[in-house]
Amino acid sequence: MPLKRLMIAKDTGTAITGAQRADVFFGTSSEAGIAAGLTIDPGRIVVFIPIQGARAKVLGQ
């Protein structure tokens, strides 16, 4: 089942590296571990940034 919801990135760890990569915490129970292990999805990530940051990136500032 696809995860279609707004999520907030709060993890500051180093396990997930690279551009546009994410992980989803399912919990600590054995059922959560099974669900997490079965979840493989390329997904789609949309990043919201303040307009000033977007303009600076486009204009190379």
Side-chain angles (χ1 to χ4, degrees):
M1 172 171 42
L3 294 172
K4 293 184 177 184
R5 61 192 71 192
L6 176 64
M7 296 184 182
I8 306 298
K10 294 176 71 176
D11 188 354
T12 59
T14 59
I16 303 299
T17 59
Q20 295 192 15
R21 301 209 185 271
D23 62 355
V24 178
F25 180 69
F26 279 82
T28 58
S29 68
S30 58
E31 292 85 7
I34 292 169
L38 296 174
T39 303
I40 299 173
D41 190 348
R44 183 174 85 176
I45 298 174
V46 177
V47 179
F48 295 99
I49 59 173
I51 190 66
Q52 294 84 3
R55 285 186 180 136
K57 186 159 184 97
V58 170
L59 298 175
Q61 297 176 347

